[in-house]
Amino acid sequence: MTSVLQALDIAVQAAFVALALFTLTDWVRHRDRQRLWLVIALVSLSGLAVLTPVAAAIRLPVQLVTDLALVLFVLNGYALLMFRNSLIPLGRRLAAAITVWTAVVAIVGVAADLSSNPQSQRSTFQLIAVGLIVITWVVSVIEPVFRLGLASVGRPSVEGSRLRSLSLGYAGLVAVILASTVAGPELQSTAAAIVIDFVVLVMVPLLYASFAPPLWLRQLWSRSEEEQLRRALHDLLLYSPDRATLASRALAGGARMVGAPGGFIEDSDHSILAVHGLTQKEAAAIATRPAIARSMLRIPLDLTQGQGMMTILAGPFTPLFGEWEVSRLRGFAVSITAGLDRVSLTARIAALEKAKTDFLDFASHELRGPMTVIKGYLTMIAAGSLGDVPPKAAAVVPLLVAKGDEVNSMLEQMIEASRLEEGRLALKKERSDIAGLTEGAVENLGPLVSDHAVDIARPSEPLWADVDQDRLQIVVRNLVSNAVKYSPAGAPIAITIARRDGHALVAVADRGIGIDKDDQRNLFTRFGRIETSATAHTSGAGLGLWLSREIARMHDGDLTVESEPGKGSTFTLEIPLNSD
């Protein structure tokens, strides 16, 4: 048992030395000011663990060893409290008062000439000195246990987990100190001493994990944040209204994922697009500084218009950034880049759509007045109201009237398309006979259909439906006009009006060029035109069929097509009939 205890004592001493060396080496590599106090605390703790065997080996005076142990003990508590101060500041005055108090306690302890033998008689002054030392250390170490634990409540996952880890680390130090410096001398049983050594050996790696969390622990902390981030990315990328909003939400999510308290995103022009945990002015100042390894991550954003940058800052509750944090943020940066570019592209498309709609609205209204005047005079000429017209001129007047009607039809489509896009296309429904409206629309086409035999087959009974008469006639005129444009001169056009399953059907069939299956997908799109050698001579804005289908669907109906190249096309308008 004695040999086992000796081996465990050596293992405990080696573990504390390793703990101090790991922490010291990490600090030397990165020189993080905050962790300096942690280095002092753990080095002083390892000094306490190895002081007795080292002193025996080099035969230091007993009183000197006692005084060194006292100073290391007080220094350990003070360094731990200062490390807590770097996480949650105590205040400058309070920190200065604690420093003075700790120094006084250490001086009093050394002046008291305390004995290393706990059974020896102690004077009143020595008892006071021991009391001051114990109280000072207990307050220095126990207070952070509760303060860090309370600070973890309600914080994001990574920050909260980090604070709870530190709180447990402080609690572990209390257990180790009590086991090695207080309980150890009191327990004379070899078995009890072996148990204590085992407990201390288990605590050492847990202490290191608490103060310098390994990769697997940091991944575990961030798991819940990553789950929330994945769920939010869909909404973030699809529904963010502008680049600043998207960048702000994404930055907050990225910071939470690695437990960072702040950061900012720079746009391609180096302007600050979003900030988190700091002000625009602070972000602009930090952006001009070089990146500080491990405490400042700068992730490039390869935007379409140039390179932007996401900067994430480490904070008091954040484990210093490692390769895992860097890789996660780089992957996240790809989603941010895609989202920012999508918002930019969407904004550009929206601007182009608005410009196109504005042009339609402007052009249609500005052209409508002159065309009304032109059409009026042409009609008067055709009627002879302006006097006799030479035979050759009279021969072309019907053509000019037809072309005027064609232009007016296009202007009408442009106006209606503009209203539809702006949400101003309100239907004025009234009970109407679909057959009568169809015949009226065809009659209004006048000269446009004069070269074609238009046959209308209608039912004997009226087909009553609640429709906007003007808009429904626009649809019929569009369908008949298309049949005329894409059919050879003299080719018949058949219009069939029928009832089927509670709906009125208006089918317009021609024997024109027909439409290929692949091209039919583009028929009902806005500005969609089929560009072939057979259609090159026809005019149109590509709005008629799109507008016609939209009007049909606003009536809870539809517009469909059946066609085959070389055999003509049949467009069918379907409108629900009145139920009564």
Side-chain angles (χ1 to χ4, degrees), residues 369-407:
M371 279 307 303
T372 300
V373 174
I374 293 171
K375 174 69 183 299
Y377 278 110
L378 286 173
T379 304
M380 292 169 67
I381 292 172
S385 301
L386 299 180
D388 295 334
V389 179
K392 288 186 178 180
V396 300
V397 169
L399 176 62
L400 294 177
V401 172
K403 289 300 180 182
D405 289 337
E406 191 175 329
V407 172

Side-chain angles (χ1 to χ4, degrees), residues 295-343:
S295 61
M296 180 191 296
L297 288 182
R298 307 203 73 185
I299 309 297
L301 303 175
D302 296 322
L303 303 170
T304 302
Q305 296 179 342
Q307 189 178 82
M309 190 72 67
M310 177 172 64
T311 301
I312 300 293
L313 307 174
F317 311 136
T318 311
L320 294 178
F321 299 125
E323 288 300 319
W324 180 78
E325 284 82 8
V326 173
S327 65
R328 296 298 298 131
L329 285 173
R330 281 179 178 162
F332 184 49
V334 174
S335 297
I336 298 176
T337 301
L340 291 174
D341 283 342
R342 179 200 58 78
V343 173

Side-chain angles (χ1 to χ4, degrees), residues 162-281:
R162 171 64 168 158
L163 287 171
R164 286 189 290 273
S165 174
L166 289 170
S167 178
L168 290 174
Y170 274 85
L173 284 173
V174 173
V176 168
I177 291 294
L178 290 176
S180 59
T181 63
V182 178
E186 299 294 339
L187 295 175
Q188 301 300 320
S189 167
T190 302
I194 290 174
V195 171
I196 290 172
D197 282 349
F198 267 121
V199 171
V200 173
L201 277 177
V202 171
M203 287 299 301
V204 170
L206 295 179
L207 288 175
Y208 186 73
S210 296
F211 290 108
L215 173 61
W216 65 267
L217 188 56
R218 300 200 304 271
Q219 290 176 334
L220 183 64
W221 290 349
S222 66
R223 185 170 297 168
S224 62
E225 295 291 351
E226 287 195 71
E227 289 297 328
Q228 293 181 17
L229 197 61
R230 274 193 287 268
R231 288 194 297 267
L233 268 179
H234 179 266
D235 292 343
L236 179 70
L237 296 181
L238 290 183
Y239 303 117
S240 293
D242 54 69
R243 298 176 80 249
T245 301
L246 185 146
S248 180
R249 293 175 180 173
L251 178 63
R256 287 173 63 95
M257 183 173 65
V258 296
F264 56 92
I265 289 180
E266 299 171 66
D267 210 342
S268 56
D269 61 357
H270 304 297
S271 63
I272 304 300
L273 186 60
V275 295
H276 176 71
L278 65 165
T279 65
Q280 288 271 349
K281 187 176 180 180

Side-chain angles (χ1 to χ4, degrees), residues 203-536:
M203 287 299 301
V204 170
L206 295 179
L207 288 175
Y208 186 73
S210 296
F211 290 108
L215 173 61
W216 65 267
L217 188 56
R218 300 200 304 271
Q219 290 176 334
L220 183 64
W221 290 349
S222 66
R223 185 170 297 168
S224 62
E225 295 291 351
E226 287 195 71
E227 289 297 328
Q228 293 181 17
L229 197 61
R230 274 193 287 268
R231 288 194 297 267
L233 268 179
H234 179 266
D235 292 343
L236 179 70
L237 296 181
L238 290 183
Y239 303 117
S240 293
D242 54 69
R243 298 176 80 249
T245 301
L246 185 146
S248 180
R249 293 175 180 173
L251 178 63
R256 287 173 63 95
M257 183 173 65
V258 296
F264 56 92
I265 289 180
E266 299 171 66
D267 210 342
S268 56
D269 61 357
H270 304 297
S271 63
I272 304 300
L273 186 60
V275 295
H276 176 71
L278 65 165
T279 65
Q280 288 271 349
K281 187 176 180 180
E282 291 170 338
I286 295 172
T288 61
R289 304 173 195 165
I292 302 172
R294 297 191 74 192
S295 61
M296 180 191 296
L297 288 182
R298 307 203 73 185
I299 309 297
L301 303 175
D302 296 322
L303 303 170
T304 302
Q305 296 179 342
Q307 189 178 82
M309 190 72 67
M310 177 172 64
T311 301
I312 300 293
L313 307 174
F317 311 136
T318 311
L320 294 178
F321 299 125
E323 288 300 319
W324 180 78
E325 284 82 8
V326 173
S327 65
R328 296 298 298 131
L329 285 173
R330 281 179 178 162
F332 184 49
V334 174
S335 297
I336 298 176
T337 301
L340 291 174
D341 283 342
R342 179 200 58 78
V343 173
S344 295
L345 182 60
T346 302
R348 290 175 61 190
I349 292 173
L352 289 173
E353 290 291 327
K354 186 177 185 306
K356 191 179 292 184
T357 300
D358 290 345
F359 173 75
L360 282 177
D361 193 40
F362 171 79
S364 57
H365 282 87
E366 290 300 312
L367 292 174
R368 197 176 194 181
M371 279 307 303
T372 300
V373 174
I374 293 171
K375 174 69 183 299
Y377 278 110
L378 286 173
T379 304
M380 292 169 67
I381 292 172
S385 301
L386 299 180
D388 295 334
V389 179
K392 288 186 178 180
V396 300
V397 169
L399 176 62
L400 294 177
V401 172
K403 289 300 180 182
D405 289 337
E406 191 175 329
V407 172
N408 278 332
S409 177
M410 284 192 291
L411 291 176
E412 184 181 59
Q413 291 175 11
M414 292 167 66
I415 292 171
E416 293 295 281
S418 177
R419 288 172 178 168
L420 180 61
E421 289 187 333
E422 294 178 359
R424 296 186 290 112
L425 187 61
L427 299 181
K428 298 178 181 178
K429 293 184 179 181
E430 56 184 288
R431 192 167 184 266
S432 308
D433 176 21
I434 299 298
L437 288 177
T438 302
E439 291 177 334
V442 176
E443 288 176 5
N444 288 337
L445 289 172
L448 185 64
V449 295
S450 59
D451 291 339
H452 297 265
V454 179
D455 178 47
I456 302 178
R458 60 167 294 169
S460 57
E461 298 291 331
L463 301 177
W464 297 106
D466 290 329
V467 296
D468 185 317
Q469 295 182 2
D470 293 336
R471 269 54 185 264
L472 191 71
Q473 288 193 321
I474 287 175
V475 176
V476 175
R477 288 199 298 270
N478 284 341
L479 297 181
V480 177
S481 297
N482 279 346
V484 170
K485 284 193 293 185
Y486 296 105
S487 298
I493 296 172
I495 302 175
T496 304
I497 308 168
R499 178 195 298 265
R500 186 179 69 190
D501 298 332
H503 288 75
L505 303 181
V506 179
V508 179
D510 62 60
R511 298 181 185 176
I513 59 176
I515 308 165
D516 188 82
K517 279 283 186 184
D518 293 334
D519 291 330
Q520 290 179 24
R521 290 193 296 268
N522 299 324
L523 274 179
F524 299 104
T525 59
R526 191 164 62 106
F527 299 106
R529 283 178 52 82
I530 300 171
E531 301 292 344
T532 65
S533 58
T535 63

